[in-house]
Amino acid sequence: MKTNLIGLPIPTRDGEFTAHYSETGLPGLDFPKPGRNSRPKAGVIPIPKIVREWHRTTTQALKAVLAGGLPKGLPPLDWTEGTAFQQKVWKVMGKIAPGKTLSYGEIASAIGKPKASRAVGGACGANPIPVLVPCHRVLAANKKIGGFSGGMDWKYRLLEREGVRVGAV
DNA sequence: AGCCAGTCTCGGA
DNA sequence: TCCGAGACTGGCT
């Protein structure tokens, strides 16, 4: 666990996301939570300059993705807490262009384990940085929506915004 | 369309 | 270390 974990809000037209920053980058991003969330940390801990910079980048990137586009840049993603397998999966997912989708099986093949599609699904669900790591662009083999940890409606909304038509569940 | 078995990883007991 | 469960797949009924 990181010591100086800082949570900063990112207001968007879709609600207020929360970005978490460690000393080395961005380890997590939260979807807007229902109700109001308290986040006193920002006022207590002095925010390092580098974090403010990351936050600006993150905000831009997030909004770009929410608009169905490609972020100009990303902050350093700190997913060192994930297992080696998960990191491979996330890295592959990060290369999916807006408007494109891959199946769990294709991801599995991409990391050299064509039969690990189900495990890939698990890694997607464990993705701590949704949206920026486009886990929503991963569909089941027959283009079914599958599932989404942040809520199915998000997955639908994000994909539709990118012009992707998904099959019914 | 629905059910079943194969496959792989993760997390808890 | 073993066991169950999962955002999967492909095949069979």
Side-chain angles (χ1 to χ4, degrees):
Chain A
M1 196 58 181
K2 310 292 188 224
T3 48
N4 275 344
L5 201 56
I6 302 178
L8 293 177
I10 302 180
T12 73
R13 57 174 173 173
D14 294 299
E16 186 178 272
F17 287 68
T18 303
H20 301 278
Y21 297 95
S22 70
E23 299 157 358
T24 56
L26 180 77
L29 179 69
D30 288 340
F31 278 103
K33 295 184 177 63
R36 133 182 78 32
N37 44 350
S38 54
R39 46 182 187 291
K41 304 157 201 156
V44 181
I45 304 174
I47 303 174
K49 184 181 169 205
I50 182 64
V51 169
R52 276 202 299 269
E53 213 166 288
W54 289 340
H55 191 56
R56 190 163 40 76
T57 307
T58 303
T59 303
Q60 284 179 176
L62 180 62
K63 287 182 177 173
V65 175
L66 288 178
L70 191 65
K72 287 188 283 291
L74 290 176
L77 303 182
D78 177 18
W79 50 38
T80 55
E81 311 227 351
T83 67
F85 176 82
Q86 291 170 335
Q87 292 180 33
K88 270 191 193 174
V89 173
W90 299 335
K91 218 171 294 180
V92 172
M93 283 193 296
K95 294 182 190 149
I96 309 177
K100 293 196 58 177
T101 61
L102 285 185
S103 71
Y104 294 97
E106 285 171 314
I107 300 272
S109 297
I111 61 177
K113 296 178 187 292
K115 304 296 181 57
S117 51
R118 192 159 190 177
V120 168
C124 292
N127 171 21
I129 318 175
V131 184
L132 295 188
V133 176
C135 45
H136 58 278
R137 296 187 191 129
V138 184
L139 304 179
N142 47 0
K143 301 305 180 196
K144 277 190 311 184
I145 188 93
F148 194 60
S149 47
M152 299 284 298
D153 48 337
W154 276 107
K155 190 163 182 173
Y156 275 117
R157 201 186 312 182
L158 289 168
L159 287 174
E160 247 172 57
R161 207 168 278 174
E162 293 177 7
V164 176
R165 189 190 300 282
V166 297
V169 185

